[in-house]
Amino acid sequence: MATIFSRIVVGEIPSYKIAEDDKFFAFLDINPLVKGHTLVIPKQEVDYIFDLSDEDLAAMHVFAKKVARAIEKAIPCKRVGASVIGLEVPHAHIHLIPINRESDMLISNPKLKLSQEEFTAIAEAIRAQY
Ligand code: 5GP
């Protein structure tokens, strides 16, 4: 059965899309730690990021870099942190999180509740910088 993230890639489940190319897809995390919290995934269904080929792992980071640059421009922050956890969804993903302090990266922090309008505005602002 397809993962929830594969279903997002094909549009079966809606998402606030940021960017895609032939191999990778970026969209807003639905339970964001901060505004602009984005997930980058390979379209290939791989659970564990370190099971990707060297080439795909490298390409995923190059794709994530471009997304991070757009987030930096759209969301006021000191920098964009990147983390890989992957204990919840069995489809490899990099969290890109605009941060101002170390503790902004803590995945156990309370999540923001954003309205549809807020998600849409954030996604548009990041996309405009991509
Ligand atoms: P992890 O597997 O790295 O622990 O966390 C998975 C992340 O995926 C969480 O931050 C969670 O909010 C996010 N997530 C889970 N399901 C969905 C979904 O259906 N849509 C979106 N946009 N994000 C999701």
Side-chain angles (χ1 to χ4, degrees):
M1 206 182 101
T3 67
I4 196 160
F5 287 173
S6 288
R7 296 175 68 200
I8 284 175
V9 170
V10 297
E12 233 176 79
I13 294 176
S15 71
Y16 299 95
K17 178 174 148 182
I18 302 297
E20 80 175 305
D21 67 10
D22 55 331
K23 286 192 152 185
F24 305 104
F25 193 94
F27 57 105
L28 294 181
D29 193 305
I30 208 68
N31 301 302
L33 285 170
V34 294
K35 287 185 178 182
H37 181 171
T38 298
L39 300 175
V40 170
I41 64 169
K43 290 184 176 176
Q44 182 193 351
E45 232 174 49
V46 169
D47 176 357
Y48 186 37
I49 194 166
F50 297 126
D51 284 334
L52 285 169
S53 69
D54 291 356
E55 190 187 39
D56 285 345
L57 181 63
M60 185 171 171
H61 281 82
V62 172
F63 178 84
K65 173 179 170 179
K66 204 170 163 208
V67 175
R69 292 289 188 223
I71 296 172
E72 272 165 19
K73 289 185 195 138
I75 309 285
C77 63
K78 282 199 178 150
R79 56 178 55 200
V80 171
S83 81
V84 174
I85 301 168
L87 290 175
E88 186 189 319
V89 178
H91 186 138
H93 50 281
I94 299 171
H95 292 259
L96 294 178
I97 304 168
I99 56 172
N100 290 299
R101 57 196 72 78
E102 192 184 299
S103 59
D104 289 342
M105 286 299 290
L106 285 177
I107 215 80
S108 51
N109 281 344
K111 308 298 188 294
L112 294 182
K113 286 270 173 269
L114 301 179
S115 66
Q116 211 171 313
E117 291 71 27
E118 286 174 302
F119 275 118
T120 301
I122 293 164
E124 275 172 8
I126 299 172
R127 276 200 306 271
Q129 299 295 336
Y130 185 75

